[in-house]
Amino acid sequence: MIDLNEVYKSVLEADKAAVVICDLDHKIIYMNPASISRYEKWGGKGLMGKNLLDCHNEKSREMINEGKHGHTHSVEELEIALGHRGTIKKMIS
């Protein structure tokens, strides 16, 4: 049997698109290598644990709260893969 947790995580790690996942309080709990590189001048890996809303202007914060910024997905499989079941609100890339 294939361990889908490892498959999902490897897909995220290999993706060239920046993938940032935050919890229900908008705290950044995961950044793939592409996002760490893309956001390096704003802190890169140091953004982990920070509030996603603090990284955006007022208009962007409103869009994030309304789910209109980036991509919002059903992320149950990602929650399981990353060990954060029931805590992820949205995925923004």
Side-chain angles (χ1 to χ4, degrees), residues 28-76:
I28 298 170
I29 59 172
Y30 173 80
M31 296 175 73
N32 72 341
S35 68
I36 291 170
S37 177
R38 179 174 180 177
Y39 302 118
E40 185 62 38
K41 71 179 181 179
W42 294 284
K45 192 172 185 174
L47 295 171
M48 290 284 296
K50 302 217 181 206
N51 192 298
L52 180 73
L53 299 179
D54 293 341
C55 303
H56 292 84
N57 64 38
E58 185 62 34
K59 182 172 175 68
S60 293
R61 286 192 293 268
E62 289 174 17
M63 292 170 68
I64 290 166
N65 283 324
E66 294 171 7
K68 295 179 180 175
H69 186 272
H71 305 284
T72 302
H73 301 275
S74 171
V75 292
E76 183 178 356

Side-chain angles (χ1 to χ4, degrees), residues 4-5 8 75-86 88:
L4 291 180
N5 295 337
Y8 290 134
V75 292
E76 183 178 356
E77 293 87 359
L78 290 174
E79 291 176 330
I80 294 166
L82 297 172
H84 297 283
R85 189 173 189 118
I88 298 173

